Amino acid sequence: MRIPLVAANWKMHKTRGEAASFVSAALPQLASAQGVEVVLCPPYTALETVGRLLSGSRVRLGAQNVHWERQGAYTGEVSAGMLADLGCAYVIVGHSERRRMFGDTDERVRRKVRAAFDAGLVPILCVGETLEERQAGQTESRVTAQVAEGTADLTAEEVGRLVVAYEPVWAIGTGQAASGEEAGRVNGVIREFLRQRFGAAADATRIQYGGSVTSRNAAEFLGQPEVDGALVGGASLDPEEFVTIVRAAGA
Ligand code: PEP
């Protein structure tokens, strides 16, 4: 039985004060939601503030990116060990905005996933096809290739703890979500691929959907047997909106 995971990706939004206001408004409802795990992924600058406010609650802290090396001359970068030290339990890896704008190749993503597990973090591995790839009939091959590379260094036990977020690039921040049925279908393709490569461990892997999830369409995705939660961008910035999505995922 997989417990769905709903993660808020705040991207480059919210100062420490704004992040604290969100947590005071939403924490009681988020912490009491049953049958769902909740993760907040603020920008690096608000991690410590949010972590302090979440401490002692069931809501977990996550980061939005990580470097693959443990330490060194990498100006502006942050290691997985540093994130663990701040109390992070999760880290988003390979988000399409990082792949598109900041040079995250499949190979870098593979190394980041490894670094996350090595530091005791659980990576949320983002995969998804572009509109051009979808129109060319390459959705399954692209997504499968990203999952293959992202998990290449993992053991079956790690794959069982991994979170994959299927996020079609054309659906992110556009208001044009996939249909629940299509999200469930692609998630099923991902699970089947993981099963073939890692065996029964893949039955425990949580595979989220992400891409223009809102309080209005959340139930359509979360009702799919192969959709184990959501990675939420824009709609996670508003406490009421995010709480409604979390409740839709819960028991
Ligand atoms: C995301 O950033 O992962 C995302 C899914 O964004 P949005 O919900 O805004 O489409």
Side-chain angles (χ1 to χ4, degrees):
M1 176 67 184
R2 297 183 295 267
I3 296 179
L5 182 86
V6 177
N9 174 16
W10 287 351
K11 312 193 187 195
M12 198 170 73
H13 292 285
K14 295 195 190 293
T15 60
R16 287 177 302 164
E18 290 162 348
S21 303
F22 178 105
V23 177
S24 9
L27 187 57
Q29 294 97 308
L30 296 179
S32 61
Q34 297 297 309
V36 55
E37 190 178 350
V38 182
V39 184
L40 299 183
C41 302
Y44 286 144
T45 47
L47 279 172
E48 189 166 15
T49 302
V50 172
R52 209 177 307 117
L53 294 168
L54 296 183
S55 86
S57 83
R58 296 166 50 234
V59 179
R60 316 300 295 276
L61 185 68
Q64 301 173 15
N65 182 37
V66 66
H67 194 268
W68 57 85
E69 294 289 353
R70 284 168 193 260
Q71 58 185 22
Y74 302 102
T75 303
E77 294 294 330
V78 173
S79 74
M82 292 168 183
L83 297 176
D85 181 53
L86 273 175
C88 288
Y90 290 89
V91 60
I92 298 170
V93 174
H95 190 281
S96 67
E97 287 156 11
R98 298 223 52 96
R99 292 180 189 259
R100 184 162 49 85
M101 293 186 272
F102 303 105
D104 271 15
T105 59
D106 285 346
E107 203 252 331
R108 283 187 181 192
V109 169
R110 172 179 62 76
R111 296 171 76 183
K112 290 180 178 201
V113 167
R114 185 63 263 156
F117 272 121
D118 286 344
L121 304 176
V122 172
I124 300 175
L125 168 62
C126 299
V127 300
E129 81 287 359
T130 61
L131 187 58
E132 294 69 36
E133 288 163 345
R134 167 158 288 258
Q135 286 167 343
Q138 295 166 350
T139 298
E140 291 80 1
S141 58
R142 182 68 194 116
V143 164
T144 303
Q146 288 174 324
V147 173
E149 180 76 8
T151 58
D153 294 340
L154 302 186
T155 64
E157 186 273 330
E158 287 165 336
V159 165
R161 288 189 287 129
L162 177 72
V163 178
V164 177
Y166 168 53
E167 298 207 305
V169 178
W170 47 269
I172 296 180
T174 60
Q176 292 219 297
S179 68
E181 198 184 318
E182 177 61 1
R185 188 187 71 77
V186 178
N187 281 20
V189 169
I190 294 171
R191 190 175 312 285
E192 191 47 41
F193 172 82
L194 290 174
R195 229 181 246 134
Q196 281 176 19
R197 196 156 278 197
F198 296 96
D203 292 328
T205 308
R206 286 177 293 179
I207 308 179
Q208 302 171 306
Y209 167 76
S212 295
V213 172
T214 66
S215 59
R216 286 167 298 290
N217 64 17
E220 179 186 344
F221 298 102
L222 298 164
Q224 297 283 329
E226 282 293 353
V227 176
D228 308 313
L231 181 53
V232 188
S236 74
L237 295 170
D238 177 73
E240 265 182 49
E241 179 78 1
F242 187 61
V243 165
T244 307
I245 295 170
V246 167
R247 285 196 173 136

